[in-house]
Amino acid sequence: MTAPPAPPRPAQNSVQPLRHSLVLLSVLAIFWLLWSGHTEPLLLTFGAISCLVVTALCRRMQIVDDEGAPLHLGLRPLVYALWLGKEVIEANLHVTRRILDPRLPIQPQLIRLKASQTGDLTRVIYANSITLTPGTVSVDIQGEEIVVHALTRTAADEDKSGEMDRRVTRLEGSDR
Amino acid sequence: MMFVTAMAAILVTMILALLRARRGPTVFDRILALNMLGTKTVLLILVVGFLTARPEFIDLALLCALMNFIGIVAVLRFSKYGHFADR
Amino acid sequence: MRTQGALLVELLELLINVLSWICLLTGSFFSVVGGIGLLRLPDFYSRLHGGGITDTMGAGMIILGLLLQAVLTGLVAATVTPWLIAAKLIMVFFFLMITSPSSCHALAQAALQDGLQPKLPDQTDS
C-alpha cells in the first residue's frame, strides 16, 4: 500500500523553543523510569535512545509548542484540579440522589454557556471540566459558546453561575 | 476480601452496561455502554492484579486504557465521516 | 519504647486499611449507581451522565483504595516496587480523568451531528 504524498504542511507561526523540547525529554525520561523500573545500563541506554527519538519525532511533527508542553500555565492547574475534584464529588452526590430516587426527578435541558477563554487549550480544559462534572456534558463547541446538556436544573444553574469559567480563565494568567 | 467486593461491584456494573448495549435503541447507546465496559475492564484488571498480588497487571491496565480510548475515537470518527481517512 | 513504636505502626496499618476499605466500598457503590443510571435514564444524552458517575467517582475511589493498599505495602516491605505501582496507579487515574470526558464529548457531538435529538421535557414542570 503506497501512501499518497503528504500535502505540504501549512507554515506554522508557532515557534518550537528548545526549552519545551527539554521539558518534554525530561518528562519522557521520568515516565520511562517509572513505568519500566529497570536500572541496568543496557536498558537505560535503550530508554534514553527511545526518549530522544520520540522528542525528535514530536519536533518533526511540529507539536512541541505551548499546547504540547503547556509550561506557561505553571503550577496553577494543580490548584484548579483540587477545586475541580471537590466540585466533581459534590456533583456526583447530587446526581446519585436523583438517579436512585424512585420518581427520577430530572429536567434534561440544553443550555449555552459563554467560554471567555482566549486559548484553545484552556477552552478544551473548560469543556472537559464541564463533562467531567456529572450532570453536565458539553455537547458542542460553537466558536465562543459551549452547548451543554444538563441532567437537572440544579446542575444547569451550577454551570450558569460561571464560576468554573472564571477559574479556567484565571489559568491563563492574563490578569495575574 | 475487600478486593473481592470491589470485583463483584465492577462485574455487576459490567453486566448492567452489557444490558444497555443489548437494549440501547441507538448505536450511540451501544458505544456508550462499550466505553463504560472498557473503563470497567481497566479497573477489573487493576483489582485482579491486587487480588492475586501480581504487579505486572497494572501495565496491562494502562495499555488497556490507551487502547480503549483509541478504539472509541476510531469508532466515532467512522460513524461521523463514514471512513477512517484523514478528512 | 520499642513496643510503643510497634503499636504505632500497627495502628497506622489499621487506619490505612480502614480508609482503603471505605474508598473501595464507595467506589463500588458509585460504580453500580452509574450502571443503574445507564439503564434507568430515559434518553441517550441523559445516559451520558450515568456513565460519567462510574467514570469519575467509581474509578477514582477504587483507584484511591488500591493506591492506599500499595502505599501500605510500600511502608511495610521497604522495597521500591510498591511505590512504582503507586506511581502507575496515579498515572492510570490521570489518564482516565483526561480520556473519559474526551470520549464522552466526542460521543455526544457525534450523536448530535447525526441528528439525534435530546428529549427535553417542558421547562415548566419540575
Side-chain angles (χ1 to χ4, degrees), chain B residues 31-61:
Chain B
I31 298 178
L32 176 65
L34 200 70
N35 187 13
M36 202 158 135
L37 200 71
T39 322
K40 293 298 112 182
T41 314
V42 175
L43 287 182
L44 191 69
I45 295 174
L46 285 178
V47 174
V48 168
F50 270 78
L51 186 68
T52 55
R54 291 178 65 181
E56 315 87 68
F57 270 49
I58 203 164
D59 300 322
L60 303 182

PDB file of all heavy atoms in Angstrom, chain B residues 31-61:
ATOM      1  N   ILE B  31     -22.384   2.358  21.879  1.00  0.00           N
ATOM      2  CA  ILE B  31     -20.983   2.786  22.010  1.00  0.00           C
ATOM      3  C   ILE B  31     -20.723   3.264  23.435  1.00  0.00           C
ATOM      4  O   ILE B  31     -19.682   2.986  24.022  1.00  0.00           O
ATOM      5  CB  ILE B  31     -20.654   3.900  20.999  1.00  0.00           C
ATOM      6  CG1 ILE B  31     -20.831   3.400  19.577  1.00  0.00           C
ATOM      7  CG2 ILE B  31     -19.222   4.368  21.182  1.00  0.00           C
ATOM      8  CD1 ILE B  31     -20.575   4.447  18.532  1.00  0.00           C
ATOM      9  N   LEU B  32     -21.701   3.995  24.001  1.00  0.00           N
ATOM     10  CA  LEU B  32     -21.546   4.465  25.379  1.00  0.00           C
ATOM     11  C   LEU B  32     -21.361   3.291  26.329  1.00  0.00           C
ATOM     12  O   LEU B  32     -20.461   3.294  27.188  1.00  0.00           O
ATOM     13  CB  LEU B  32     -22.784   5.286  25.784  1.00  0.00           C
ATOM     14  CG  LEU B  32     -22.824   5.778  27.216  1.00  0.00           C
ATOM     15  CD1 LEU B  32     -21.714   6.768  27.459  1.00  0.00           C
ATOM     16  CD2 LEU B  32     -24.159   6.421  27.520  1.00  0.00           C
ATOM     17  N   ALA B  33     -22.193   2.266  26.146  1.00  0.00           N
ATOM     18  CA  ALA B  33     -22.080   1.083  27.004  1.00  0.00           C
ATOM     19  C   ALA B  33     -20.729   0.409  26.806  1.00  0.00           C
ATOM     20  O   ALA B  33     -20.086  -0.024  27.764  1.00  0.00           O
ATOM     21  CB  ALA B  33     -23.212   0.105  26.680  1.00  0.00           C
ATOM     22  N   LEU B  34     -20.281   0.371  25.566  1.00  0.00           N
ATOM     23  CA  LEU B  34     -18.984  -0.246  25.264  1.00  0.00           C
ATOM     24  C   LEU B  34     -17.858   0.521  25.935  1.00  0.00           C
ATOM     25  O   LEU B  34     -16.930  -0.064  26.500  1.00  0.00           O
ATOM     26  CB  LEU B  34     -18.788  -0.247  23.754  1.00  0.00           C
ATOM     27  CG  LEU B  34     -17.774  -1.236  23.206  1.00  0.00           C
ATOM     28  CD1 LEU B  34     -18.311  -2.625  23.357  1.00  0.00           C
ATOM     29  CD2 LEU B  34     -17.473  -0.920  21.770  1.00  0.00           C
ATOM     30  N   ASN B  35     -17.963   1.858  25.893  1.00  0.00           N
ATOM     31  CA  ASN B  35     -16.961   2.716  26.518  1.00  0.00           C
ATOM     32  C   ASN B  35     -16.874   2.428  28.012  1.00  0.00           C
ATOM     33  O   ASN B  35     -15.801   2.274  28.585  1.00  0.00           O
ATOM     34  CB  ASN B  35     -17.364   4.180  26.264  1.00  0.00           C
ATOM     35  CG  ASN B  35     -16.310   5.142  26.719  1.00  0.00           C
ATOM     36  OD1 ASN B  35     -15.191   4.742  26.998  1.00  0.00           O
ATOM     37  ND2 ASN B  35     -16.665   6.403  26.810  1.00  0.00           N
ATOM     38  N   MET B  36     -18.067   2.335  28.627  1.00  0.00           N
ATOM     39  CA  MET B  36     -18.112   2.070  30.056  1.00  0.00           C
ATOM     40  C   MET B  36     -17.538   0.689  30.355  1.00  0.00           C
ATOM     41  O   MET B  36     -16.795   0.516  31.330  1.00  0.00           O
ATOM     42  CB  MET B  36     -19.569   2.134  30.509  1.00  0.00           C
ATOM     43  CG  MET B  36     -19.718   2.395  31.959  1.00  0.00           C
ATOM     44  SD  MET B  36     -21.324   3.079  32.249  1.00  0.00           S
ATOM     45  CE  MET B  36     -21.792   2.132  33.657  1.00  0.00           C
ATOM     46  N   LEU B  37     -17.864  -0.259  29.505  1.00  0.00           N
ATOM     47  CA  LEU B  37     -17.323  -1.612  29.677  1.00  0.00           C
ATOM     48  C   LEU B  37     -15.800  -1.579  29.639  1.00  0.00           C
ATOM     49  O   LEU B  37     -15.132  -2.253  30.432  1.00  0.00           O
ATOM     50  CB  LEU B  37     -17.861  -2.505  28.558  1.00  0.00           C
ATOM     51  CG  LEU B  37     -17.825  -4.003  28.803  1.00  0.00           C
ATOM     52  CD1 LEU B  37     -18.833  -4.372  29.842  1.00  0.00           C
ATOM     53  CD2 LEU B  37     -18.078  -4.736  27.520  1.00  0.00           C
ATOM     54  N   GLY B  38     -15.250  -0.738  28.745  1.00  0.00           N
ATOM     55  CA  GLY B  38     -13.806  -0.641  28.650  1.00  0.00           C
ATOM     56  C   GLY B  38     -13.182  -0.081  29.919  1.00  0.00           C
ATOM     57  O   GLY B  38     -12.197  -0.617  30.435  1.00  0.00           O
ATOM     58  N   THR B  39     -13.790   1.009  30.445  1.00  0.00           N
ATOM     59  CA  THR B  39     -13.261   1.586  31.685  1.00  0.00           C
ATOM     60  C   THR B  39     -13.317   0.571  32.810  1.00  0.00           C
ATOM     61  O   THR B  39     -12.387   0.435  33.609  1.00  0.00           O
ATOM     62  CB  THR B  39     -14.092   2.820  32.078  1.00  0.00           C
ATOM     63  OG1 THR B  39     -14.450   3.531  30.904  1.00  0.00           O
ATOM     64  CG2 THR B  39     -13.317   3.708  33.001  1.00  0.00           C
ATOM     65  N   LYS B  40     -14.436  -0.163  32.870  1.00  0.00           N
ATOM     66  CA  LYS B  40     -14.574  -1.161  33.933  1.00  0.00           C
ATOM     67  C   LYS B  40     -13.542  -2.271  33.765  1.00  0.00           C
ATOM     68  O   LYS B  40     -13.066  -2.826  34.742  1.00  0.00           O
ATOM     69  CB  LYS B  40     -15.986  -1.763  33.917  1.00  0.00           C
ATOM     70  CG  LYS B  40     -17.096  -0.823  34.285  1.00  0.00           C
ATOM     71  CD  LYS B  40     -16.968  -0.323  35.672  1.00  0.00           C
ATOM     72  CE  LYS B  40     -16.652   1.146  35.620  1.00  0.00           C
ATOM     73  NZ  LYS B  40     -16.455   1.764  36.908  1.00  0.00           N
ATOM     74  N   THR B  41     -13.218  -2.600  32.505  1.00  0.00           N
ATOM     75  CA  THR B  41     -12.204  -3.634  32.288  1.00  0.00           C
ATOM     76  C   THR B  41     -10.873  -3.205  32.892  1.00  0.00           C
ATOM     77  O   THR B  41     -10.189  -3.999  33.539  1.00  0.00           O
ATOM     78  CB  THR B  41     -12.024  -3.893  30.790  1.00  0.00           C
ATOM     79  OG1 THR B  41     -13.296  -3.995  30.195  1.00  0.00           O
ATOM     80  CG2 THR B  41     -11.229  -5.137  30.559  1.00  0.00           C
ATOM     81  N   VAL B  42     -10.520  -1.913  32.685  1.00  0.00           N
ATOM     82  CA  VAL B  42      -9.273  -1.404  33.251  1.00  0.00           C
ATOM     83  C   VAL B  42      -9.285  -1.587  34.769  1.00  0.00           C
ATOM     84  O   VAL B  42      -8.333  -2.105  35.360  1.00  0.00           O
ATOM     85  CB  VAL B  42      -9.104   0.086  32.896  1.00  0.00           C
ATOM     86  CG1 VAL B  42      -7.883   0.653  33.584  1.00  0.00           C
ATOM     87  CG2 VAL B  42      -8.999   0.269  31.402  1.00  0.00           C
ATOM     88  N   LEU B  43     -10.396  -1.180  35.399  1.00  0.00           N
ATOM     89  CA  LEU B  43     -10.482  -1.299  36.855  1.00  0.00           C
ATOM     90  C   LEU B  43     -10.417  -2.760  37.282  1.00  0.00           C
ATOM     91  O   LEU B  43      -9.756  -3.109  38.264  1.00  0.00           O
ATOM     92  CB  LEU B  43     -11.787  -0.679  37.353  1.00  0.00           C
ATOM     93  CG  LEU B  43     -11.836   0.847  37.326  1.00  0.00           C
ATOM     94  CD1 LEU B  43     -13.141   1.325  37.893  1.00  0.00           C
ATOM     95  CD2 LEU B  43     -10.697   1.429  38.106  1.00  0.00           C
ATOM     96  N   LEU B  44     -11.112  -3.621  36.515  1.00  0.00           N
ATOM     97  CA  LEU B  44     -11.134  -5.043  36.875  1.00  0.00           C
ATOM     98  C   LEU B  44      -9.725  -5.625  36.835  1.00  0.00           C
ATOM     99  O   LEU B  44      -9.325  -6.357  37.746  1.00  0.00           O
ATOM    100  CB  LEU B  44     -12.054  -5.792  35.902  1.00  0.00           C
ATOM    101  CG  LEU B  44     -12.380  -7.216  36.303  1.00  0.00           C
ATOM    102  CD1 LEU B  44     -13.260  -7.212  37.530  1.00  0.00           C
ATOM    103  CD2 LEU B  44     -13.069  -7.950  35.182  1.00  0.00           C
ATOM    104  N   ILE B  45      -8.968  -5.255  35.793  1.00  0.00           N
ATOM    105  CA  ILE B  45      -7.597  -5.762  35.707  1.00  0.00           C
ATOM    106  C   ILE B  45      -6.786  -5.295  36.906  1.00  0.00           C
ATOM    107  O   ILE B  45      -6.036  -6.061  37.512  1.00  0.00           O
ATOM    108  CB  ILE B  45      -6.937  -5.302  34.391  1.00  0.00           C
ATOM    109  CG1 ILE B  45      -7.649  -5.919  33.197  1.00  0.00           C
ATOM    110  CG2 ILE B  45      -5.478  -5.703  34.359  1.00  0.00           C
ATOM    111  CD1 ILE B  45      -7.148  -5.410  31.878  1.00  0.00           C
ATOM    112  N   LEU B  46      -6.957  -4.013  37.274  1.00  0.00           N
ATOM    113  CA  LEU B  46      -6.233  -3.483  38.429  1.00  0.00           C
ATOM    114  C   LEU B  46      -6.557  -4.273  39.686  1.00  0.00           C
ATOM    115  O   LEU B  46      -5.670  -4.716  40.422  1.00  0.00           O
ATOM    116  CB  LEU B  46      -6.596  -2.016  38.650  1.00  0.00           C
ATOM    117  CG  LEU B  46      -6.004  -0.978  37.705  1.00  0.00           C
ATOM    118  CD1 LEU B  46      -6.526   0.397  38.048  1.00  0.00           C
ATOM    119  CD2 LEU B  46      -4.502  -0.987  37.805  1.00  0.00           C
ATOM    120  N   VAL B  47      -7.877  -4.460  39.922  1.00  0.00           N
ATOM    121  CA  VAL B  47      -8.287  -5.137  41.152  1.00  0.00           C
ATOM    122  C   VAL B  47      -7.810  -6.585  41.156  1.00  0.00           C
ATOM    123  O   VAL B  47      -7.327  -7.089  42.176  1.00  0.00           O
ATOM    124  CB  VAL B  47      -9.825  -5.050  41.323  1.00  0.00           C
ATOM    125  CG1 VAL B  47     -10.263  -5.860  42.514  1.00  0.00           C
ATOM    126  CG2 VAL B  47     -10.246  -3.614  41.496  1.00  0.00           C
ATOM    127  N   VAL B  48      -7.905  -7.246  40.008  1.00  0.00           N
ATOM    128  CA  VAL B  48      -7.442  -8.634  39.945  1.00  0.00           C
ATOM    129  C   VAL B  48      -5.943  -8.697  40.210  1.00  0.00           C
ATOM    130  O   VAL B  48      -5.448  -9.599  40.897  1.00  0.00           O
ATOM    131  CB  VAL B  48      -7.794  -9.254  38.571  1.00  0.00           C
ATOM    132  CG1 VAL B  48      -7.073 -10.573  38.385  1.00  0.00           C
ATOM    133  CG2 VAL B  48      -9.276  -9.477  38.466  1.00  0.00           C
ATOM    134  N   GLY B  49      -5.208  -7.700  39.690  1.00  0.00           N
ATOM    135  CA  GLY B  49      -3.768  -7.656  39.951  1.00  0.00           C
ATOM    136  C   GLY B  49      -3.475  -7.584  41.432  1.00  0.00           C
ATOM    137  O   GLY B  49      -2.576  -8.258  41.935  1.00  0.00           O
ATOM    138  N   PHE B  50      -4.260  -6.764  42.154  1.00  0.00           N
ATOM    139  CA  PHE B  50      -4.034  -6.670  43.592  1.00  0.00           C
ATOM    140  C   PHE B  50      -4.491  -7.927  44.307  1.00  0.00           C
ATOM    141  O   PHE B  50      -3.861  -8.375  45.263  1.00  0.00           O
ATOM    142  CB  PHE B  50      -4.782  -5.455  44.156  1.00  0.00           C
ATOM    143  CG  PHE B  50      -3.954  -4.220  44.138  1.00  0.00           C
ATOM    144  CD1 PHE B  50      -3.771  -3.515  42.965  1.00  0.00           C
ATOM    145  CD2 PHE B  50      -3.329  -3.771  45.280  1.00  0.00           C
ATOM    146  CE1 PHE B  50      -2.986  -2.389  42.934  1.00  0.00           C
ATOM    147  CE2 PHE B  50      -2.547  -2.627  45.259  1.00  0.00           C
ATOM    148  CZ  PHE B  50      -2.370  -1.940  44.083  1.00  0.00           C
ATOM    149  N   LEU B  51      -5.578  -8.516  43.818  1.00  0.00           N
ATOM    150  CA  LEU B  51      -6.138  -9.709  44.464  1.00  0.00           C
ATOM    151  C   LEU B  51      -5.146 -10.864  44.397  1.00  0.00           C
ATOM    152  O   LEU B  51      -4.944 -11.578  45.375  1.00  0.00           O
ATOM    153  CB  LEU B  51      -7.450 -10.091  43.765  1.00  0.00           C
ATOM    154  CG  LEU B  51      -8.252 -11.216  44.366  1.00  0.00           C
ATOM    155  CD1 LEU B  51      -8.810 -10.777  45.705  1.00  0.00           C
ATOM    156  CD2 LEU B  51      -9.394 -11.607  43.439  1.00  0.00           C
ATOM    157  N   THR B  52      -4.514 -11.027  43.227  1.00  0.00           N
ATOM    158  CA  THR B  52      -3.574 -12.137  43.069  1.00  0.00           C
ATOM    159  C   THR B  52      -2.150 -11.703  43.351  1.00  0.00           C
ATOM    160  O   THR B  52      -1.229 -12.484  43.131  1.00  0.00           O
ATOM    161  CB  THR B  52      -3.673 -12.702  41.644  1.00  0.00           C
ATOM    162  OG1 THR B  52      -3.467 -11.623  40.729  1.00  0.00           O
ATOM    163  CG2 THR B  52      -5.009 -13.322  41.380  1.00  0.00           C
ATOM    164  N   ALA B  53      -1.959 -10.452  43.804  1.00  0.00           N
ATOM    165  CA  ALA B  53      -0.622  -9.927  44.131  1.00  0.00           C
ATOM    166  C   ALA B  53       0.331 -10.065  42.960  1.00  0.00           C
ATOM    167  O   ALA B  53       1.447 -10.542  43.104  1.00  0.00           O
ATOM    168  CB  ALA B  53      -0.051 -10.612  45.377  1.00  0.00           C
ATOM    169  N   ARG B  54      -0.115  -9.678  41.768  1.00  0.00           N
ATOM    170  CA  ARG B  54       0.756  -9.712  40.601  1.00  0.00           C
ATOM    171  C   ARG B  54       0.863  -8.301  40.024  1.00  0.00           C
ATOM    172  O   ARG B  54      -0.024  -7.849  39.295  1.00  0.00           O
ATOM    173  CB  ARG B  54       0.207 -10.670  39.551  1.00  0.00           C
ATOM    174  CG  ARG B  54       0.311 -12.111  40.006  1.00  0.00           C
ATOM    175  CD  ARG B  54      -0.270 -13.045  38.995  1.00  0.00           C
ATOM    176  NE  ARG B  54       0.479 -13.042  37.745  1.00  0.00           N
ATOM    177  CZ  ARG B  54       0.129 -13.786  36.706  1.00  0.00           C
ATOM    178  NH1 ARG B  54      -0.923 -14.553  36.773  1.00  0.00           N
ATOM    179  NH2 ARG B  54       0.826 -13.744  35.598  1.00  0.00           N
ATOM    180  N   PRO B  55       1.938  -7.599  40.344  1.00  0.00           N
ATOM    181  CA  PRO B  55       2.041  -6.190  39.953  1.00  0.00           C
ATOM    182  C   PRO B  55       2.120  -5.961  38.448  1.00  0.00           C
ATOM    183  O   PRO B  55       1.900  -4.841  37.999  1.00  0.00           O
ATOM    184  CB  PRO B  55       3.334  -5.728  40.641  1.00  0.00           C
ATOM    185  CG  PRO B  55       4.084  -6.962  40.964  1.00  0.00           C
ATOM    186  CD  PRO B  55       3.073  -8.026  41.168  1.00  0.00           C
ATOM    187  N   GLU B  56       2.428  -7.034  37.658  1.00  0.00           N
ATOM    188  CA  GLU B  56       2.530  -6.803  36.210  1.00  0.00           C
ATOM    189  C   GLU B  56       1.190  -6.391  35.623  1.00  0.00           C
ATOM    190  O   GLU B  56       1.131  -5.760  34.582  1.00  0.00           O
ATOM    191  CB  GLU B  56       2.994  -8.063  35.470  1.00  0.00           C
ATOM    192  CG  GLU B  56       4.149  -8.811  36.088  1.00  0.00           C
ATOM    193  CD  GLU B  56       3.681  -9.813  37.116  1.00  0.00           C
ATOM    194  OE1 GLU B  56       3.052 -10.787  36.742  1.00  0.00           O
ATOM    195  OE2 GLU B  56       3.952  -9.598  38.302  1.00  0.00           O
ATOM    196  N   PHE B  57       0.110  -6.760  36.314  1.00  0.00           N
ATOM    197  CA  PHE B  57      -1.214  -6.499  35.761  1.00  0.00           C
ATOM    198  C   PHE B  57      -1.455  -5.021  35.517  1.00  0.00           C
ATOM    199  O   PHE B  57      -2.246  -4.641  34.658  1.00  0.00           O
ATOM    200  CB  PHE B  57      -2.289  -7.044  36.714  1.00  0.00           C
ATOM    201  CG  PHE B  57      -2.666  -8.458  36.427  1.00  0.00           C
ATOM    202  CD1 PHE B  57      -1.677  -9.408  36.273  1.00  0.00           C
ATOM    203  CD2 PHE B  57      -3.983  -8.836  36.319  1.00  0.00           C
ATOM    204  CE1 PHE B  57      -1.996 -10.718  36.009  1.00  0.00           C
ATOM    205  CE2 PHE B  57      -4.316 -10.141  36.051  1.00  0.00           C
ATOM    206  CZ  PHE B  57      -3.329 -11.089  35.893  1.00  0.00           C
ATOM    207  N   ILE B  58      -0.752  -4.184  36.295  1.00  0.00           N
ATOM    208  CA  ILE B  58      -1.025  -2.757  36.184  1.00  0.00           C
ATOM    209  C   ILE B  58      -0.583  -2.225  34.821  1.00  0.00           C
ATOM    210  O   ILE B  58      -1.213  -1.319  34.260  1.00  0.00           O
ATOM    211  CB  ILE B  58      -0.329  -2.019  37.339  1.00  0.00           C
ATOM    212  CG1 ILE B  58      -1.013  -0.694  37.578  1.00  0.00           C
ATOM    213  CG2 ILE B  58       1.122  -1.817  37.096  1.00  0.00           C
ATOM    214  CD1 ILE B  58      -0.655  -0.115  38.893  1.00  0.00           C
ATOM    215  N   ASP B  59       0.465  -2.815  34.247  1.00  0.00           N
ATOM    216  CA  ASP B  59       0.883  -2.405  32.912  1.00  0.00           C
ATOM    217  C   ASP B  59      -0.180  -2.762  31.887  1.00  0.00           C
ATOM    218  O   ASP B  59      -0.471  -1.985  30.975  1.00  0.00           O
ATOM    219  CB  ASP B  59       2.212  -3.079  32.552  1.00  0.00           C
ATOM    220  CG  ASP B  59       3.311  -2.702  33.517  1.00  0.00           C
ATOM    221  OD1 ASP B  59       3.328  -1.534  33.929  1.00  0.00           O
ATOM    222  OD2 ASP B  59       4.134  -3.559  33.867  1.00  0.00           O
ATOM    223  N   LEU B  60      -0.777  -3.935  32.080  1.00  0.00           N
ATOM    224  CA  LEU B  60      -1.871  -4.333  31.180  1.00  0.00           C
ATOM    225  C   LEU B  60      -3.009  -3.337  31.271  1.00  0.00           C
ATOM    226  O   LEU B  60      -3.600  -2.952  30.260  1.00  0.00           O
ATOM    227  CB  LEU B  60      -2.373  -5.731  31.543  1.00  0.00           C
ATOM    228  CG  LEU B  60      -1.349  -6.847  31.523  1.00  0.00           C
ATOM    229  CD1 LEU B  60      -2.031  -8.164  31.860  1.00  0.00           C
ATOM    230  CD2 LEU B  60      -0.701  -6.938  30.166  1.00  0.00           C
ATOM    231  N   ALA B  61      -3.297  -2.891  32.496  1.00  0.00           N
ATOM    232  CA  ALA B  61      -4.401  -1.948  32.674  1.00  0.00           C
ATOM    233  C   ALA B  61      -4.112  -0.642  31.938  1.00  0.00           C
ATOM    234  O   ALA B  61      -4.995  -0.097  31.251  1.00  0.00           O
ATOM    235  CB  ALA B  61      -4.626  -1.683  34.157  1.00  0.00           C
TER     236      ALA B  61
END
